[in-house]
Each structure stands twice: as C-alpha cells, then as structure tokens.
Amino acid sequence: MSVTIDYDLLEKELTASDEVTRLRAIKQIITLPEFAQGEVVRFVKALYAPLKDSSVAVRYYAKKAYSRLKRMVKGQDRHIILPALMDGDALKAATPAPTFVYGSRDYWLYELNSIDYKVRVKAVMEVCRFGTDTAFKKVCDLFDVETHEHVLATLVKYLPLLKRPGIFERIVPYLNHPDWRVRANTVEGLENLGDARAIPLVMPFLSDQDNRVKGNAVKYLVKSHPDEVRKALAEMLASPHEWMRDSAVLLASKIDLSVSEDLLLAALKDPSPEIVRKAIAALEVKAKSQTVMNAFDELATSPDESVRTAAAAAKNAMAKRL
C-alpha cells in the first residue's frame, strides 16, 4: 500500500529549530519504503544543511539519508551530489590570477590566498607536503589570518607534516576551538607531530561529546594509556545513541585486539543489526580465539537474517585460519 508523504513539510522539518524534529525528518528519509524519484534531487540538496548540523546525531543520520538518496540519483543528475565548488565570496569578481602550471608548487602557494575556502583547503594540503622553509612560512602566514573552520581544521592537521619548531605551540590552542572539526583535527595533528607534551592535554578528550573528537583521542592514546582507552570505548558502547556506539565499534576495529576484543564481543549484543555486523566483520579479520567462534555460534539464533548470515560467514572464515 502506497504511503502519502508531504514532501514540502518533510523538507521544512529538516531545518526545524529543534533537534528532535530534524532527526525525525532525516530518519523518515532513511526508512520510507518508497521515495518519489522526482523528489530525490531536491532532497539531496536539502540534506546539505543537516550534513553540517551542530548536532552529532543529526549529522550521523543525515549521512545515512544522503547515501540512500545518492544511490537513487540518475546519471544525468550526478552533478548535484557535490556542493557547488564556489562559496558566496568566491562568486564576487576577482583580480585575474597569474598564470601557473596547474598543480605546480607556485600554483599551490598562490592558491593559499584563494577567495574560495575549498581551494585554500586543497592548497594547504598540497603545500604542507613540500617540506620547504618557504612552504612553512606561507602556511604560517595563512594561519595568522584564517577564520574559516574548514581551512583551520586542515591547517592543524597538515602543518605538523612540516616538522618545524613552534608548531606544537601554534596548534595546541585549537584543542579548545568551538568547531568539532577543528578540535578533532587538532588531536590528529598532535598525534602526527609526536610531541609527548600533548598526551596529558589530549586525555580529557576521551570524554568529549563529539564522536570524532573522542575517536581521534582514542587512536592517539591507545598505546600510552590502553586502560583509559578501553574505559572510554566501553562508555561509548553503553551510550543510548546509535551514532556513538557505531563510532566505538569502528575505533575498536582499528586498535590492538588485546584492548578491543572484549569490546567487540560486547557489541555483538547491540540492538542495531548494522552495528552487530560491523563488530562481526572486525572480529572476523582480527580474532583467533575459540571465544569469538562461540559468540558467532550464538548469533545463529539472531532474529535478524543479515546478522545470522554474517556470523556464519565469519565463523567459516575464522575456521580456516585456526
């Protein structure tokens, strides 16, 4: 039986002032048994704002909704799945640029001052790979005046690649930046820098409310503070929020199994079949114990067919290794 959907109301609710309404609208896009093909392009565009929402939960489910709609986009409409290259300022008239060979060092050094923040992001990534004193000076000059959070997030992550004195002091203050991208990338940049002074400063971020910030802290600290990392991941797995538990399983799959095996086993009991399947996949690749084999056996009675199938396949794959 066909369901009647008020698409105008649905689009309006995506930008409602309260988080509950925004989440409900996004989850409706994910779960609707039918989504009118004629509305797909409209809602791919409408999801741009939720994908940048201040709420982690909204961003998490918006990505799922976005993925569903992208799969439905027809060939001639592929261009709409990427935001426009230019932001508002970039649409203004600009002074003609000097002629450089695209991709050359001079080209990327020049583009550090682009009026389009997306081009500045790309330029930072490229220039920080040069490793020269000129690159370091130019990136630091940009750092001194940059305000866009996407560019700042790129700077704190890539500047450590230049391995120069003073980088630690320059990026550490951004641990307290209000934007989650900047905080998360600052943790990653400090990890890349390898300065032990950062360890006690990053420790509090094991309790950060943003799953990406917390995740980067986990990856950074797992070798130096495995017990604290295990505790942080256990708290994430006990969260009532699916996005936090999902992040915990992803992180547990990337760290040493001596720290994560019991956490991944606990995730096999998660109410979300998707999270259970991710835990199964992680254990299939990394685990070798009979305990894990027994856990896969128990999943043979799961009410979810996809979980039963994944567990059986994982057990067979492990059996060949043992």
Side-chain angles (χ1 to χ4, degrees), residues 87-106:
D87 60 10
D89 290 340
L91 296 177
K92 299 175 183 177
T95 303
T99 301
F100 295 117
V101 175
Y102 178 83
S104 68
R105 290 192 175 192
D106 286 341

Side-chain angles (χ1 to χ4, degrees), residues 15-80:
T15 54
S17 58
D18 63 295
E19 181 180 345
V20 172
T21 301
R22 300 197 305 276
L23 276 173
R24 183 178 66 234
I26 291 168
K27 289 181 179 180
Q28 193 173 8
I29 294 174
I30 296 170
T31 59
L32 279 173
E34 299 176 8
F35 199 96
Q37 185 65 51
E39 300 289 348
V40 172
V41 170
R42 169 187 175 184
F43 277 85
V44 168
K45 293 178 179 178
L47 283 168
Y48 289 168
L51 285 167
K52 300 177 182 179
D53 200 277
S54 59
S55 162
V56 181
V58 170
R59 295 199 303 270
Y60 174 77
Y61 288 105
K63 289 177 183 177
K64 291 179 178 289
Y66 192 66
S67 294
R68 180 191 183 187
L69 296 186
K70 280 202 300 182
R71 290 193 294 271
M72 299 171 65
V73 172
K74 293 192 178 294
Q76 64 268 28
D77 294 320
R78 287 288 176 188
H79 65 282
I80 61 90

Side-chain angles (χ1 to χ4, degrees), residues 264-277:
L264 291 169
L265 286 169
L268 295 179
K269 302 183 186 301
D270 196 274
S272 165
E274 181 179 356
I275 290 177
V276 175
R277 292 196 303 271

